[in-house]
Amino acid sequence: MTVDTETRPLPAARHARAAVAVLFFTNGALFANLLPRYPQIKEDLAIGNGAYGLAVAAFPAGAITAGLAAGLLIRRMGSARVAVLGTLLTGAGILAAGLAPSVALFATALFLAGAMDALTDVAQNAHGLRVQRLYGRSILNSFHAVWSIGAVTGGLMAAGAMSLGLSLGVHLAASAAVLVAAAVAALRFCLPGPDNGPEETGPEETGQKETGRERLTAEGARGTSRVGVVLAALVLIATAGALVEDSGNSWAALYLSDALHASAALAASGFIALVGAQFIGRLIGDRLVDRFGQRAVARAGGLITAVGMGLALAVPTLPGTILGFALAGFGVATLVPAAMHEADGLPGLKPGSGLTIVSWLMRLGFLLSPPVVGQVADAAGLRTGLLVIPAAGVLVVLLAGVLQARPRRD
């Protein structure tokens, strides 16, 4: 009987893990189907870089606006249902953005899509943490790696649709239908019951939690005066990662097509290279952190980002620029998880407070990046505007000292 009780949750946990992976995959692929289409939308709407930057900033603005509502919805509906409903509404918003006949409607649709995407993001992570508690070990990074696979797949779907000459409406409707159907099918295998109910945990996780609490109690008396400064630095590190990612999302295809005269399908390769290299970085990131520590990995990543994209902008060629976006994606792959992990263990804060603050404020990188880069691009060219990427890498190198020098074992 004891053996049956211990092994009974394992099949459910494996099925739920696969289901959450599907949710992360569809979330990454949905928006990625729209991003390579941005140059076409910009041309169809006949707008400049400044107006374009303000319009695409509506997506992160919607995410910031709706982010705090996720917790209430999850408590009422359950994280799995919120994630699937958010996926459905995100797909509808993205389709509406692709078909919008004016800048105002384009921005409005992106705002709504961003709001729904934020709900999905919080809900799928919440359900992923439920599954992680069943496993008794860390598996959350694997979900984020699957998100990157979804983003690459979405970019490839868009590139294929453009190569086939599919219209925006046909392409986005078909991709949304397939991805939403996958998310709905995954709902059946998610964990049942309320998200705030007790979860079975493995012995490793239980011990880790107790050790972490003891460490925080010991450190809290010594370092509370530095918490604000450290937390601000962590927010900036996470924001730098978000800013680099968004620059690739919003401007890579446009820069390759306008400045380097790449075809529409080839221009999508900049975004694909960034998220593909980001996936590789997330896949090996845990092992690098275990061996070298968060601080060394973050500094190396910041340096790779600054040098790689800096050289690509200094000597602009099509292969070099695609490589530059890839190096930037690889360099920032572990920054957001590192900042969240560090913030979650800060002494003197209530459990989850540091993580919530970093998660909330890092969205400013997604919100501020498009209009800032757009305004600089209108004044001095998009090549100059993209200098924000190597600048973000330099910032990470300077601030990485707040991260753990050696891997945390709690």
Side-chain angles (χ1 to χ4, degrees):
M1 291 298 292
T2 302
V3 174
D4 291 341
T5 301
E6 290 177 351
T7 59
R8 185 172 53 192
L10 293 179
R14 289 196 298 268
H15 294 159
R17 182 177 184 177
V20 174
V22 170
L23 295 178
F24 271 82
F25 178 89
T26 55
N27 181 248
L30 264 177
F31 191 45
N33 267 276
L34 179 65
L35 292 173
R37 291 286 200 165
Y38 272 174
Q40 178 184 346
I41 294 173
K42 180 176 179 289
E43 182 179 354
D44 291 343
L45 297 178
I47 55 178
N49 288 324
Y52 166 79
L54 290 172
V56 297
F59 189 91
I64 290 176
T65 302
L68 291 179
L72 176 62
L73 290 174
I74 288 171
R75 286 191 293 272
R76 291 186 175 181
M77 299 175 57
S79 56
R81 290 189 180 92
V82 172
V84 173
L85 178 61
T87 299
L88 171 62
L89 296 177
T90 300
I94 288 173
L95 176 59
L99 298 177
S102 67
V103 179
L105 291 176
F106 173 61
T108 300
L110 283 182
F111 182 91
L112 295 175
M116 297 302 102
D117 179 77
L119 299 181
T120 303
D121 182 45
V122 175
Q124 68 189 10
N125 276 284
H127 208 77
L129 287 170
R130 286 188 66 189
V131 178
Q132 179 171 273
R133 287 192 288 273
L134 287 177
Y135 269 73
R137 58 184 172 85
S138 177
I139 60 171
L140 195 61
N141 284 333
S142 68
F143 293 135
H144 287 268
V146 171
W147 184 95
S148 295
I149 296 176
V152 173
T153 302
L156 291 172
M157 290 169 67
M162 289 185 289
S163 297
L164 294 173
L166 297 182
S167 67
L168 264 170
V170 171
H171 162 215
L172 295 178
S175 62
V178 171
L179 295 170
V180 168
V184 171
L187 180 60
R188 176 184 175 186
F189 300 98
C190 291
L191 296 175
D195 285 80
N196 57 355
E199 300 285 355
E200 296 186 33
T201 59
E204 295 179 8
E205 188 186 4
T206 302
Q208 289 170 356
K209 285 183 177 178
E210 291 172 353
T211 303
R213 284 170 185 158
E214 292 170 1
R215 180 183 53 78
L216 292 184
T217 300
E219 292 182 359
R222 298 196 302 266
T224 52
S225 62
R226 295 185 61 247
V227 168
V229 174
V230 172
L231 187 59
L234 294 174
V235 168
L236 288 175
I237 289 173
T239 302
L243 188 149
V244 172
E245 183 179 336
D246 185 71
S247 295
N249 292 349
S250 301
W251 299 101
L254 194 63
Y255 178 67
L256 289 171
S257 61
D258 286 0
L260 301 179
H261 312 293
S263 65
L266 184 58
S269 60
F271 164 74
I272 294 170
L274 186 144
V275 295
Q278 188 179 56
F279 162 71
I280 295 173
R282 286 171 173 170
L283 201 62
I284 66 175
D286 286 333
R287 281 173 289 184
L288 292 176
V289 168
D290 284 342
R291 182 170 183 179
F292 301 108
Q294 297 278 18
R295 183 184 303 173
V297 173
R299 278 184 175 151
L303 186 62
I304 290 171
T305 300
V307 173
M309 199 63 197
L311 288 175
L313 293 173
V315 186
T317 64
L318 192 57
T321 301
I322 294 172
L323 177 61
F325 278 113
L327 291 173
F330 183 82
V332 303
T334 65
L335 293 185
V336 172
M340 289 181 172
H341 182 255
E342 194 71 26
D344 200 39
L346 283 177
L349 296 179
K350 294 180 180 179
S353 296
L355 176 61
T356 299
I357 293 170
V358 169
S359 300
W360 176 256
L361 291 179
M362 79 170 185
R363 292 185 181 273
L364 290 176
F366 291 106
L367 177 63
L368 297 177
S369 174
V372 169
V373 174
Q375 293 298 325
V376 174
D378 277 345
L382 184 52
R383 181 180 167 195
T384 302
L386 288 177
L387 286 172
V388 69
I389 297 178
V394 172
L395 182 66
V396 170
V397 173
L398 296 175
L399 296 178
V402 300
L403 299 171
Q404 289 288 314
R406 287 184 294 275
R408 182 181 291 166
R409 297 300 182 185
D410 59 308

